Structures are given as structure tokens and as C-alpha cells.
Amino acid sequence: MAARLDGPGVSQGGLDLERFLADGFALRRQLASYLGLSIEQLDERLPRSREDLASLHPGAVGFDPQRVEAFYEQTVGTGHLLELAAWHLGSADYIADTLRLQARFARGTVLDFGGGIGTHALAAASLPGVERVWFVDLNPHNRAFVAERAAGFGLSDRLSVCRDLEDPGLPRCFDTVVCLDVLEHLSDPSGQLELFAARMDHESTALLNWYFFQGFSGEYPFHFDDPAMVERFFRTLQSRFLEAFHPYLITTRAYRLLG
């Protein structure tokens, strides 16, 4: 039977579901400390973090897709930490269901690709069925913050941080791939699916979601939404992966390799 994050005795470091719902795994305190802010200063910045991040983006018309990596690695700075923290704290019930889903499938070696502030990586590293988590993120501030969080929870020996999939320390194959709220930020999401498939075997599970939409009022200019790109993505998804049922009414889906 798959471990439940909210079940008794299934987590290490005290990172159970109740802890996440209570304080996001001490997110406000840890982020304020990392940024050198008081809690009051952090609370002032969080509500406008999405608008602040969007203001750094030149918009769909002026954005060169070849500059995606540079944008997230260099331009956004710590702004992405603030925007992600606001989203996770403000959408805790939804995020909690994604943690339940992860606990249902995660095992062995786990890749958290584009893991942001580390919520899912930390939760996965706390699961007894997980050997180690590799947190991969372009943004150096995200990597440093997540490494600091892991150390604070005593999980450094179960969680490694890397810039990209070319890191020689990564295993060739992962038992679990987690990629949440990332694919819509990539100029070639179907290519990313192929890269995931190459790092999986037929016992592996991938947990994926996407939102190829720039918002009803253009509030997500950093999302790609080209119809031809989206069609290629779904054709690749359907030709390479088979969906596995799960009972949670959320956008995240579980997949295994097809064939």
C-alpha cells in the first residue's frame, strides 16, 4: 500500500500534511530569514509578488523563447521565491492534494524538476519509501534556499540540489519524476517530456501538470500558449505515456511509459 503523507509514522523531519497546512513547512519564517527580512516586511511583499514578477517579463510579443533559461536563472532573482511562496501559502488546500498524490506514488529515486521553493522535494525526502530526492532548478536562489531548508529539517543527506539534468551526479534513471507548474514556462515542453521519458523505466511514475494559458487578463505573461506548441505537447504526451488513475480532483496527472 502506498504511504500517505497524512498517515501516522510516514514522514521524517516532521514534514507531515498537518505541518504543511499549518505553516507551509515553516515557509514564512525560513523565507524571511533567507531574504534578510522581518516577517512583517515579507508579509508586505507577498501580496504583490505575482505582479512584481510579471513586471520583469517583456510580455508575449517581446519575449525571445531562446531567453527562457536566462530569464529564470538571472532576471527573476529572488522574485520567483516570493511569487511561489505566495502561491503555496494562498493555495494550501490545493497544494496539499498534490502532496497526497506524491505520497501515493513517490518511491526510490525522485526527480523534482523545476522544484521552486522545495515544498514537494522536502515532502518527498520525508517519505520512508523514498531513498533520495534530486531537486533541479535553474534559479540559483531557489537552489540555495531549498538546500538551506533541507539542512534545517535534517534532510540534507536525502536531498541534493542541481542546476539541470546534465549534472553528472544525477542517476541515469528515476523511479519518480515530479514536474509541477513548470511545463508552461518552457518553449519546448514536448521536448522536455522526451527527456523525462529517457530518464524513466517502465516501473517509473511521472507526476505532471501544465497551464498553457497567459490568463484572462494577461496576468501570466511568462506562460507559453502557442497552439501549435500545445498540440505537439499533447501528441507527445499521448504517444509516450499512459495515464494512471488517481482519486484526487486536481490538475496534476500520473503517468507511466507507454508500451
Side-chain angles (χ1 to χ4, degrees), residues 188-239:
D188 184 16
S190 57
Q192 190 62 55
L193 291 181
E194 294 286 5
L195 292 175
F196 290 153
R199 306 297 284 261
M200 297 169 62
D201 62 28
H202 287 285
E203 300 299 319
S204 303
T205 301
L207 305 179
L208 311 173
N209 69 0
W210 52 84
Y211 192 60
F212 299 116
F213 183 54
Q214 294 192 352
F216 292 103
S217 302
E219 60 268 33
Y220 303 110
F222 29 74
H223 289 184
F224 286 98
D225 64 352
D226 175 67
M229 180 210 74
V230 174
E231 180 172 332
R232 285 195 303 273
F233 171 81
F234 283 113
R235 288 186 180 276
T236 301
L237 182 70
Q238 292 165 13
S239 67

Side-chain angles (χ1 to χ4, degrees), residues 21 26 36 66 86 92 117 124-125 136 156 160 162-163 223 226 229 252:
L21 290 169
Q66 303 305 313
I117 55 176
V136 174
S156 294
S160 300
C162 310
R163 178 191 180 275
H223 289 184
D226 175 67
M229 180 210 74
T252 304

Side-chain angles (χ1 to χ4, degrees), residues 164-192:
D164 54 50
L165 291 178
E166 300 301 315
D167 191 295
L170 292 171
R172 187 200 67 79
C173 184
F174 292 95
D175 298 305
T176 314
V177 173
V178 179
C179 181
L180 304 182
D181 306 314
V182 173
L183 290 165
E184 61 269 25
H185 296 266
L186 306 181
S187 59
D188 184 16
S190 57
Q192 190 62 55

Side-chain angles (χ1 to χ4, degrees), residues 15 25-37 81 116-118 122 135 140-157 159-161:
L15 301 187
F25 301 150
L27 179 56
R28 288 170 65 248
R29 176 177 59 80
Q30 291 176 336
L31 184 56
S33 174
Y34 179 78
L35 296 176
L37 302 173
L81 289 174
I117 55 176
L122 292 168
F135 170 94
H141 296 287
N142 294 6
R143 297 197 301 273
F145 179 54
V146 171
E148 187 174 287
R149 298 187 79 190
F153 289 122
L155 293 171
S156 294
D157 61 337
L159 192 154
S160 300
V161 299

Side-chain angles (χ1 to χ4, degrees), residues 71-85:
F71 177 73
Y72 288 105
E73 187 165 18
Q74 302 167 17
T75 305
V76 300
T78 59
H80 202 207
L81 289 174
L82 290 160
E83 191 265 343
L84 289 170

Side-chain angles (χ1 to χ4, degrees), residues 85-96:
W87 158 238
H88 280 228
L89 292 170
S91 305
D93 289 339
Y94 174 84
I95 301 296

